[in-house]
Amino acid sequence: MENPMHIEQNKRVAKQLVEGLGAGDGAQAFDRLHDDLVWTVMADPAAFPVSESMGKASFANHIRAFLGALPTGIQITVTGITAEGNRVAVEAKSVAALPNGNVLNQVYHFLFEFRDNLVIGAREYIDTAHAVAQFRV
């Protein structure tokens, strides 16, 4: 039988993680990641440059570089959360001004798997066509 308290805790951690990715340099989000994390951006590598699986350090470096490239940061809002067992699904949206003058209005779906109250697996689904189009000069 699932422990409702455990599920609610995982939902809180997932929400803090996603919202933390848009706060400062992302450091508060990284505390919610297991050392054995595998974060995968679910996209075709031929169409989207960040389509890979990353460990915790690589993912943190990726986020820091991404946030550093945004002149005014990024606002990420969680719009829905569903959880079952050790898995939490999060829907979110973001808005960010880009250096080229475009605005990135992105939508996300994250599927997180938990171990020891930390995220050990993440699959990130985004609108890659929109991202590529907005980052073009």
Side-chain angles (χ1 to χ4, degrees), residues 18-34:
V18 172
E19 290 175 343
L21 292 173
D25 64 356
Q28 65 179 320
F30 307 143
D31 292 342
R32 280 123 179 112
L33 302 175
H34 195 283

Side-chain angles (χ1 to χ4, degrees), residues 49-94:
V50 186
S51 304
E52 60 185 334
S53 293
M54 298 170 267
K56 183 176 180 178
S58 294
F59 176 70
N61 289 336
H62 162 70
I63 292 298
R64 285 186 194 107
F66 175 67
L67 293 174
L70 301 175
T72 59
I74 188 169
Q75 173 70 37
I76 301 175
T77 304
V78 171
T79 59
I81 301 177
T82 304
E84 182 176 342
N86 73 332
R87 294 162 51 112
V88 177
V90 177
E91 295 172 289
K93 62 182 180 178
S94 69

Side-chain angles (χ1 to χ4, degrees), residues 6-22 28-33 39 59 76-92 108-114 117-122:
H6 183 72
I7 291 172
E8 289 304 312
Q9 179 179 357
N10 287 349
K11 287 168 65 175
R12 275 192 304 278
V13 170
K15 185 175 189 286
Q16 292 166 348
L17 168 59
V18 172
E19 290 175 343
L21 292 173
Q28 65 179 320
F30 307 143
D31 292 342
R32 280 123 179 112
L33 302 175
W39 188 290
F59 176 70
I76 301 175
T77 304
V78 171
T79 59
I81 301 177
T82 304
E84 182 176 342
N86 73 332
R87 294 162 51 112
V88 177
V90 177
E91 295 172 289
Y108 307 85
H109 183 273
F110 301 95
L111 180 59
F112 298 121
E113 295 178 62
F114 281 80
N117 301 317
L118 297 171
V119 173
I120 185 129

Side-chain angles (χ1 to χ4, degrees), residues 13 36 46 110 128 134:
V13 170
D36 296 329
F110 301 95
T128 56
Q134 293 310 100

